[in-house]
Structure formats: structure tokens, C-alpha cells
Amino acid sequence: MKQPRAFKISMAAALSAALFATVLPANPALATAPASAVSVPQAQVLAVDSGLQIAAKKIQRNPSKDDVFVNKKYPLSPVKYAPKTVAVKGTNVRLRSSAAKAYTKMVKAAAKDGVKIRAVSGYRSYNRQAELFNYYSRIYGKSYASRISAVPGTSEHQTGLAIDVGNANGACGLQACFANTPVGKWVGKNAHKYGFIMRYQKGQESVTGYAYEPWHFRYLGTSLAKSVKNSGAKSLEAYYGVSGKKSDSAPKKSKGTAQTNANLNMRTGAGTGNRVLLTIPRGKTVQLTGSKKSGWYQVRYSSKTGWVSGKYLKNVSMPSAPKKDTKKSTPQKNTSNAKSAKTTANLNMRTGAGTSNRIVLTIPQGKKVAIRGAKKSGWYPVKYAGKNGWVSGTYLSSFSSSGTAPKATKPKTSKSSSKKTIANLNMRTGVGTSKRVILTIPKGKTVTVRGAKKSGWYPVKYAGKNGWVSGKYLR
Ligand SMILES: [Zn+2]
């Protein structure tokens, strides 16, 4: 998050010294009885994908604990909580002793690598935070102030477990460019080894409620810090599966949206091999673009577009199919024995003839599809990208009966046979266990085999749905 120019000047000139580096005495009088840890029920979903394991996690609300969880939705309780703090060695920045010790250890390790970390700001009392927040609110207004500073009682600095760090020469102090300075790079890479995590990562504002702060590190203890780092979660909120945004509206079931039912990685493409853009917390609403591929959905969230696994989406309501009200000029004769056609719009391929059938994938506009058989109620059985399915004839043109189309596997309608399941058997969207499960066929049921076996899997029909099952469990 870029800071406005005015911010840089006032920060550097007025605030760095005056507000951040001031000695802040602990106020033990405010310390009161700790709240007990609250257990947050976890969904039965344990793994989002190979990159992010979600285990049952307890959210610590006891402010006296090193792993206390604090954000805009989880204020400190009591709100004026004040920990015992000590001065960090060689500075007037104060932290809780556990964090101070770990910080000193980290500074020494960095020094060995020739990197000099400077402590900029540590513990801030409720009252100090109130001053700071009011100061920002006066300058920038409450809305912007709340993106860069915390409402008193919701700051990690009030726990005595958070520290803002900088370079000894002040380069890029409290600015996003700090990430590319020697200290920024070093702490980004190593802080977790000393029990600290970069709390407000880039692109996570809608999750954490805070702009990117590559200088703000939160002490959690080494075991939790490493666990968070290794989980792949891009925020502590994502790690716990909660939100940091105060204005968190209840999920709505509206057209073109879905809800996440786990902390879910949004990736650059459909599949876990693609780069993670951000982690969407559980229970968030995402916008669906209408594109779907191998069980993955293209979604928009937090002004980013990427792909998420459909396994962890609920209340999925795809946006309406592209409506083309232009009259067809393409001749549609001889379509009965056509071998191929072209799509005139981004076109959903479905498991059957009709929009009530599940979408197998979306074929981009202008692509050639192979027609596998006879038209049914205006829908064609087609093959595209190695998948079989049905598409609406409304969005097909340039029907051709020449053999230029990719050879489609002829549906063996004449040889359609039936088999019995010998176990509860997952019917999937394609061949292989990586494909999405459509439904589970109970043991002992009869399925219709729709075509030829492929790599040991059969295309079958059961309960009105088409899909693939492993031949191992058929007799
Ligand atoms: Zn900070």
C-alpha cells in the first residue's frame, strides 16, 4: 500500500521520532484478569489444497498469552489491556519480555549477515494508540486512518508483541518500499525463525483490514510463527479462518457468487501447480466470472481475479450464460451429420442436454468442437479439450461435415452396457482421482456404461448424471 506524499513527510518529520520512538512506560494499573481462550469451531474440511493445510485451531483471546489474536474484529479484552514490558536492549522501544528476547536474538543474527535492524516502534498503550489514531483521523479522515492505524484496543502494538522495524539509515521507513531494503528483505525471509511473522502482507487488506506493512512484525513464539509461515496462509486471519474486517456482511446467495467454506487459496490458474495470489478466508463471498475448468472456478475477490478449487465453494450460483440476441445468419442445414462446429460465445459444456446439468468446462468463443452424435432438444453432444459434454446449439455455428475436426470417440450407444458397483464409488468429472467428485454411487448399484474405458476408468450414467468411475470397483 502506497502512502500518500503528505503521509511520508509527516511520518518522517513529525511522527517517527515524536510518536513512535517515545519511551512508553508500562501501565500495570490497567492490567486486569485475562479472558479465557475461546475455541472456534472448525469446519470438517481439513485440507484446502496441497499448499495449505487447515487443522483445528484455537483462537487465543487471553491477552497475556504470546499467541493472543487481535484485529479489528477481535479487540483486546479488556480493551485497555496493558502488559508488562521491558526496554529492548540498546533502544527505548518497549516490548513484552518474551518478544524483546526473541527480537534481540533476531537482531544479532541479522548483524551476523551484515544487516542492521532498527527498532522503530514497539508497545503502545491504549492512550498512546488513541492519540495516534486521532492524529491520523484529523489528517486523513477516519476511513483512511483505520487502514493505516488501529482503533485503540485493536492494535497489536498494545499487546507488547508487535514491533515496527526499519533500516539504521531510515531508508523507506514505514513505507511499502521497505520490503526491498536490506532489513526488509532479511526480516521477510528470516523473522519466523525467531517467532515473528510479517502480519500485514501485500494484497491481504480485505482479509486483515490493514494495508501492506512489510515493517510490522508480530511475535507469536517460534512454534506458531513457523506453523503460520509453513501453512502458506498469507495472514493470521487466513490461518485461523476468520476475518479481520469489521464491516463483514452476512453471506448472500446471489447470482454469480459463491461462498468459501474453508480458507481457500486463489491461484493464477486452475490447479494447485499455479501460484497463490491470496488466501480467501472461510465464509467470504466471491464473484464468479462464469469460467470453470476441471472443477476450478475463476473468481474475483479483493479486486483480484484468480482460480479456486470448487471443492471449497458453497452456494455456487453461476452467472447467466452469455445472451446473444443477434439473429443467426449462419446456415444450419446438414447439422444432423455435422462433425464439427464453432462456438459463437464463451459456452458452457454440461454433463447433459439442458442448463440444469452440471458445467464440465467453459469453451471459449471461436473454438472448434467435435460433434459426437445427434442433437437433443437443441443441444449437441460435443468433445472439446479431451472432455465430452453437451452444449446449447444456440451458440454453435459453422457446422462442418468434413473430417477436419479432431476424431471424437464415438459414443458406444449400441454397446451400452451396465455394471454394478462393488463399493461406494465416487463418480468424477473425468478420468482420475484428481477430478472433481460429482456424486458417490452407493455399493451394489447398477450404472450404465456410456462408452469406452479409458485408463481403467468408465464413462457411466447414474441417477441422471454422467461422469467417470474407476473400473476397479465395477463388476
Ligand atoms: Zn506496526
Side-chain angles (χ1 to χ4, degrees):
M1 186 61 50
K2 264 207 183 118
Q3 310 292 6
R5 175 133 189 90
F7 179 74
K8 284 182 194 168
I9 294 162
S10 59
M11 280 303 295
L15 288 173
S16 301
L19 283 170
F20 285 109
T22 316
V23 180
L24 298 160
N27 190 349
L30 288 176
T32 47
S36 56
V38 171
S39 175
V40 172
Q42 296 290 316
Q44 56 274 57
V45 177
L46 290 183
V48 167
D49 61 40
S50 59
L52 181 61
Q53 298 296 318
I54 306 297
K57 293 183 198 92
K58 215 178 199 181
I59 291 178
Q60 180 64 262
R61 302 296 334 266
N62 181 342
S64 71
K65 301 286 188 189
D66 283 351
D67 59 347
V68 61
F69 181 71
V70 179
N71 66 20
K72 290 174 184 179
K73 277 185 88 173
Y74 290 76
L76 277 163
S77 172
V79 74
K80 289 195 174 185
Y81 172 79
K84 272 189 184 142
T85 58
V86 297
V88 171
K89 209 177 166 188
T91 77
N92 53 15
V93 167
R94 298 186 75 87
L95 288 175
R96 224 183 268 191
S97 68
S98 54
K101 266 182 216 153
Y103 176 77
T104 302
K105 208 172 150 189
M106 178 166 79
V107 168
K108 279 182 187 161
K112 272 185 192 158
D113 293 344
V115 174
K116 200 166 184 315
I117 304 175
R118 176 175 163 242
V120 176
S121 179
Y123 170 63
R124 292 201 287 264
S125 68
Y126 177 91
N127 291 338
R128 175 64 72 193
Q129 190 64 35
E131 276 176 46
L132 193 55
F133 187 77
N134 293 338
Y135 177 83
Y136 285 133
S137 297
R138 276 200 305 277
I139 301 174
Y140 303 117
K142 217 168 184 176
S143 163
Y144 187 74
S146 67
R147 290 176 59 198
I148 59 169
S149 177
V151 173
T154 69
S155 172
E156 286 200 322
H157 285 283
Q158 197 183 325
T159 66
L161 297 165
I163 186 161
D164 295 339
V165 297
N167 288 274
N169 66 2
C172 284
L174 308 178
Q175 294 169 53
C177 61
F178 168 76
N180 298 314
T181 64
V183 171
K185 282 184 199 163
W186 195 94
V187 289
K189 195 177 158 195
N190 297 297
H192 66 284
K193 297 172 193 165
Y194 305 92
F196 291 88
I197 60 158
M198 188 194 288
R199 186 66 177 80
Y200 308 119
Q201 291 191 37
K202 203 176 199 168
Q204 304 300 306
E205 183 169 349
S206 64
V207 181
T208 63
Y210 288 98
Y212 180 39
E213 291 192 3
W215 59 84
H216 179 108
F217 284 82
R218 165 63 201 274
Y219 182 70
L220 292 169
T222 48
S223 126
L224 181 56
K226 283 176 186 168
S227 168
V228 172
K229 178 96 174 175
N230 296 336
S231 75
K234 294 202 160 200
S235 66
L236 209 47
E237 282 76 12
Y239 181 77
Y240 287 121
V242 298
S243 171
K245 274 267 199 180
K246 214 174 175 188
S247 54
D248 196 26
S249 54
K252 288 180 208 108
K253 259 193 205 174
S254 58
K255 199 93 179 151
T257 66
Q259 268 96 44
T260 56
N261 62 17
N263 295 333
L264 186 51
N265 284 334
M266 181 202 281
R267 295 177 180 271
T268 54
T272 54
N274 295 284
R275 200 166 54 77
V276 174
L277 289 168
L278 56 80
T279 304
I280 307 168
R282 187 174 62 218
K284 289 289 179 183
T285 298
V286 297
Q287 303 294 320
L288 302 173
T289 67
S291 292
K292 195 183 168 194
K293 210 153 77 181
S294 318
W296 286 63
Y297 290 82
Q298 193 184 40
V299 303
R300 279 190 71 74
Y301 179 76
S302 180
S303 67
K304 293 217 191 281
T305 303
W307 292 81
V308 298
S309 167
K311 277 188 223 172
Y312 307 101
L313 290 179
K314 60 179 179 182
N315 304 331
V316 173
S317 161
M318 286 299 261
S320 311
K323 286 267 183 330
K324 289 278 160 95
D325 45 18
T326 48
K327 287 275 173 282
K328 281 254 148 16
S329 56
T330 323
Q332 293 205 28
K333 53 194 169 191
N334 295 331
T335 55
S336 56
N337 48 21
K339 293 280 193 340
S340 73
K342 258 189 184 154
T343 56
T344 61
N346 294 337
L347 185 52
N348 287 333
M349 181 202 279
R350 296 180 179 268
T351 54
T355 54
S356 63
N357 292 285
R358 210 175 46 76
I359 296 167
V360 178
L361 52 78
T362 303
I363 307 168
Q365 185 176 348
K367 292 290 176 185
K368 189 179 252 186
V369 297
I371 294 176
R372 296 180 292 122
K375 196 170 162 181
K376 198 159 89 183
S377 323
W379 287 65
Y380 287 87
V382 300
K383 184 182 180 121
Y384 177 77
K387 303 254 180 200
N388 292 334
W390 292 78
V391 297
S392 166
T394 314
Y395 305 103
L396 289 179
S397 72
S398 314
F399 287 91
S400 154
S401 54
S402 71
T404 51
K407 274 277 173 286
T409 48
K410 282 254 173 72
K412 294 188 173 178
T413 41
S414 54
K415 269 191 82 180
S416 121
S417 60
S418 60
K419 286 185 181 286
K420 243 187 191 157
T421 57
I422 57 162
N424 294 336
L425 185 53
N426 285 336
M427 180 201 280
R428 295 177 182 270
T429 55
V431 172
T433 53
S434 66
K435 296 291 187 295
R436 205 171 57 74
V437 175
I438 298 168
L439 53 80
T440 304
I441 308 167
K443 184 176 170 178
K445 292 290 175 184
T446 301
V447 299
T448 308
V449 177
R450 295 178 294 121
K453 195 170 161 181
K454 203 157 87 182
S455 316
W457 287 63
Y458 287 90
V460 299
K461 185 178 179 120
Y462 176 78
K465 303 253 180 203
N466 290 334
W468 292 79
V469 297
S470 167
K472 276 188 230 168
Y473 307 101
L474 290 180
R475 286 289 178 276

